[in-house]
């Protein structure tokens, strides 16, 4: 079975498992886990921020950022198809107790005029706009890259209004691999960035938040409150550090495989697919409109490929370190056969 449901389905490699087994550990709630501390120092430096905090998941990282930047009753501007709005079980309403203001976009870059209009005036009866979030790469739009020019323009607007800027960078590494822009350059305009190790990098668990020392001190308190204080977490932090140091370069391969897969699908002319949208390791395409996603996914499974659902009407294929070129090609032909079987 070729599993393209997500880049989170990867298994740790043999070398990663060896590194995990040997990792020096301590009690991270006391700040005494050398492997966690090494990872945090490395990530902070890589992203050019003062400090970093290892967190169990990307969702926890995003939600802690919202809680630190906002007060209850504030408003957070997010892109309408963002992970924070779509897939985080309304956590902003429960944890930070904020309201989300969604702005639609074509590929993840919220139009500046719409952003400016969305910022609340300082009337007592309006919520306070406290935070703007940008997702890079953008998952539901198909792994699209948000440009540094756009980010800089949003940062200028946000900071002019005294609004903080957070990056959901679960796949920021893919944006870097696709553009050649460094993690530090991408992180620079943001007040906080969440990055993940458990997606394209192939580590089993974990994300990190980066920001100022003060931001990370507040984030540490929220992590504990949410039950995210892990003890000998160095076992998994060591895998994350290994993934950062050894699996970042190879993300380009995932991008090439995604493109190859997309080209074969596009050439078949049996599905609707925008090739310009295939910028990193995700391919989204329209499956035949007369059937349900479940029926389409079943047909693909019968041909040996697992896919996930994207926006309504769209299927999603995600490329990762267990999919080589041959399997990417095999998967594309299998999906074409599945579509034919349904016509
Ligand atoms: C863009 C984005 N942000 C956040 C997350 C959440 O990460 P996690 O599954 O580690 O909570 C994901 C997960 O796929 C994601 O795609």
């Amino acid at each position: 079975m070729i599993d393209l449901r997500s880049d989170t389905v990867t298994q740790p490699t043999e070398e990663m498992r060896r590194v995990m087994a040997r990792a020096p550990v301590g009690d991270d709630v006391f700040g005494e886990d050398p492997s966690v501390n090494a990872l945090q120092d490395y990530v902070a430096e890589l992203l050019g921020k003062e400090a970093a905090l290892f967190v169990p998941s990307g969702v926890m990282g995003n939600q802690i950022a919202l809680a630190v930047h906002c007060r209850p009753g504030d408003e957070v501007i997010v892109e309408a198809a963002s992970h924070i709005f779509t897939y985080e079980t309304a956590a902003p309403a429960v944890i930070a107790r904020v309201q989300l203001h969604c702005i639609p976009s074509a590929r993840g870059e919220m139009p500046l005029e719409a952003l400016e209009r969305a910022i609340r005036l300082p009337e007592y009866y309006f919520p306070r706009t406290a935070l703007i979030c940008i997702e890079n790469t953008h998952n539901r739009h198909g792994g699209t890259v948000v440009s540094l020019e756009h980010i800089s323009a949003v940062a200028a607007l946000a900071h002019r209004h005294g609004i903080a800027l957070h990056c959901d960078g679960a796949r920021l590494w893919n944006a870097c691999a696709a553009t050649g822009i460094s993690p530090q350059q991408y992180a620079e305009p943001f007040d906080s960035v969440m990055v993940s190790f458990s997606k394209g990098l192939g580590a089993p668990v974990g994300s990190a938040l980066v920001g100022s020392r003060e931001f990370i001190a507040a984030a540490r308190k929220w992590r504990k409150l949410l039950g995210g204080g892990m003890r000998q977490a160095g076992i998994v932090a060591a895998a994350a550090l290994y993934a950062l140091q050894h699996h970042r370069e190879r993300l380009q391969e995932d991008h090439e495989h995604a493109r190859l897969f997309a080209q074969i699908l596009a050439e078949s002319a049996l599905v609707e697919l925008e090739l310009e949208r295939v910028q990193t390791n995700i391919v989204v395409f329209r499956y035949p409109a007369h059937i349900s996603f479940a029926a389409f996914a079943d047909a693909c499974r019968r041909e040996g490929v697992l896919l996930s659902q994207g926006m309504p009407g769209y299927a999603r294929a995600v490329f990762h370190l267990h999919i080589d070129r041959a399997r990417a090609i095999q998967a594309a032909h299998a999906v074409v056969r599945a579509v034919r079987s349904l016509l």
Side-chain angles (χ1 to χ4, degrees), residues 6-8 56-60 62 83-84 88 135 137-139 168 170-171 194 196 198-199 206-207 316:
S6 175
D7 46 10
T8 56
S57 68
V59 169
M60 191 186 285
N62 281 335
H83 196 277
I84 291 176
E88 302 194 5
E135 184 173 314
T137 63
H138 198 294
N139 182 348
D168 176 347
R171 293 185 184 76
M194 185 280 284
S196 288
S198 57
K199 315 238 158 34
S207 291
R316 191 182 78 137

Side-chain angles (χ1 to χ4, degrees), residues 72-309:
D74 281 347
E75 192 164 72
V76 176
I77 298 178
V78 294
E79 201 277 336
S82 64
H83 196 277
I84 291 176
F85 177 61
T86 313
Y87 295 117
E88 302 194 5
T89 44
V94 179
I95 298 171
R97 290 182 287 147
V98 293
Q99 166 168 294
L100 297 183
H101 189 144
C102 292
I103 298 188
S105 79
R107 290 191 190 162
E109 296 188 355
M110 295 174 277
L112 281 177
E113 320 75 66
L115 265 174
E116 185 133 32
R117 272 199 309 275
I119 294 171
R120 302 287 185 168
L121 296 172
E123 296 290 357
Y124 78 91
Y125 43 77
F126 286 141
R128 179 182 74 121
T129 306
L131 181 67
I132 298 175
C133 299
I134 293 178
E135 184 173 314
N136 196 16
T137 63
H138 198 294
N139 182 348
R140 260 163 87 84
H141 281 296
T144 45
V145 175
V146 179
S147 74
L148 198 49
E149 294 70 35
H150 177 75
I151 293 169
S152 305
V154 177
L157 176 68
H159 295 150
R160 196 164 65 241
H161 285 84
I163 298 168
L165 189 63
H166 170 71
C167 176
D168 176 347
R171 293 185 184 76
L172 188 65
W173 317 119
N174 295 86
C176 295
T179 59
I181 294 168
S182 71
Q184 178 165 354
Q185 282 171 296
Y186 256 134
E188 201 276 328
F190 290 97
D191 299 285
S192 58
V193 181
M194 185 280 284
V195 286
S196 288
F197 312 114
S198 57
K199 315 238 158 34
L201 293 185
V205 180
S207 291
L209 259 179
V210 298
S212 67
R213 248 178 234 107
E214 195 187 355
F215 172 85
I216 292 299
R220 187 182 299 280
K221 203 169 169 67
W222 271 102
R223 185 185 69 174
K224 189 77 177 92
L225 184 150
L226 294 171
M230 299 180 287
R231 301 292 176 171
Q232 283 71 32
I235 298 276
V236 277
L241 185 55
Y242 177 87
L244 259 183
Q245 291 171 336
H246 295 89
H247 291 172
R248 226 156 19 105
E249 298 252 303
R250 61 154 307 287
L251 291 174
Q252 303 252 27
E253 290 173 33
D254 295 343
H255 299 180
E256 280 161 29
H257 299 157
R259 184 120 204 119
L260 200 56
F261 173 90
Q263 270 160 351
I264 295 171
L265 253 58
E267 276 159 23
S268 79
L270 291 173
V271 298
E272 245 180 78
L273 189 154
E274 288 174 60
L275 274 177
E276 322 78 71
R277 212 177 261 279
V278 186
Q279 298 171 3
T280 58
N281 67 328
I282 301 179
V283 180
V284 291
F285 58 94
R286 268 191 182 283
Y287 53 86
H290 66 284
I291 55 166
S292 67
F293 175 75
F296 179 60
D298 261 0
C300 291
R301 183 181 286 113
R302 284 196 293 278
E303 295 291 344
V305 177
L306 300 180
L307 297 174
S308 55
Q309 190 159 20

